[in-house]
Amino acid sequence: MNKNIIAVAIAALGFVIGLGFLGNAIKNRNKSENTISVTGLGTKQFTSDLITWSGSFSKNNIDLKSAYDELALDRKVINDYLLSKKIKQNEIVFSSVDIQKQFRSYNDANGNYVQGEFSGYNLTQKVSIESKDVALIENLSRNITEIINRGIEFTSSSPSYFYTKLATVKQEMIASATKDAKERAEKIAQNSGSSLGNLKKATMGVIQITAPNSNEDYSYGGTFNTSSKEKEASITIKLEYEVN
């Protein structure tokens, strides 16, 4: 008899404890669902303040030393030309010389590739400039045919544009995106007859830098446009608030 009473008491206690756990679970579930998640956007347009530009030139000769001497002469002409355009000497960087052996190649009667006899050396060197005088380097890149007109085999690349105060821009966008997200959350809470509680979670997206009014795609790791002097940066902030 005593054993039955004890068993019933234990079962009743277990039932009460189970109800307690269930009640807490329901309470916590309702609490977790009673939140608002919003995403805010921060954007800013700015003009690049740093530019890089590069070009390459080459010489071919059956004799390696002769090819190198001819390349050195072209290098001096290019360097003097850049200085005449008000480019500072410490902004001009010449790379090491790349040397490639050339062969006369052909396809035989069966269509097989055949490497023929040695035909000489091809020497290539690159010159690059980094400057904060964006307008000066832009003008230089557009008129680089002046070097070609001097008999130099020169290939010019398009300039790349950067911004040195990007950290400041990012801070401003984060503040703007956070404000935007909070205002959205307040509006949602107000329309539902509630008020915002504590901020539970904040998640920041990656910065995206594109040309203004362009159709460039955003990427998961962040987009960084370098082809446009004018840029537009954007970032998202996701906030999760409790609702009272």
Side-chain angles (χ1 to χ4, degrees), residues 189-215:
Q190 180 183 349
N191 290 339
S192 63
S194 306
S195 62
L196 288 185
N198 296 325
L199 176 65
K200 294 183 62 179
K201 185 178 180 181
T203 306
M204 182 175 68
V206 296
I207 187 170
Q208 309 281 353
I209 300 177
T210 61
N213 304 315
S214 70
N215 59 354

Side-chain angles (χ1 to χ4, degrees), residues 208-228:
Q208 309 281 353
I209 300 177
T210 61
N213 304 315
S214 70
N215 59 354
E216 294 178 72
D217 293 329
Y218 286 178
S219 71
Y220 181 79
T223 301
F224 194 95
N225 177 289
T226 60
S227 61
S228 174

Side-chain angles (χ1 to χ4, degrees), residues 19-66:
L19 287 176
F21 279 126
L22 179 60
N24 285 332
I26 294 174
K27 180 180 179 181
N28 290 333
R29 185 194 66 183
N30 291 337
K31 183 178 180 180
S32 65
E33 289 179 349
N34 199 28
T35 60
I36 293 177
S37 293
V38 290
T39 300
L41 175 66
T43 63
K44 187 174 181 64
Q45 292 190 358
F46 53 92
T47 302
S48 302
D49 61 357
L50 181 70
I51 185 172
T52 64
W53 169 83
S54 66
S56 61
F57 53 103
S58 59
K59 280 294 182 182
N60 295 277
N61 200 298
I62 193 70
D63 179 67
L64 180 59
K65 184 179 183 308
S66 297

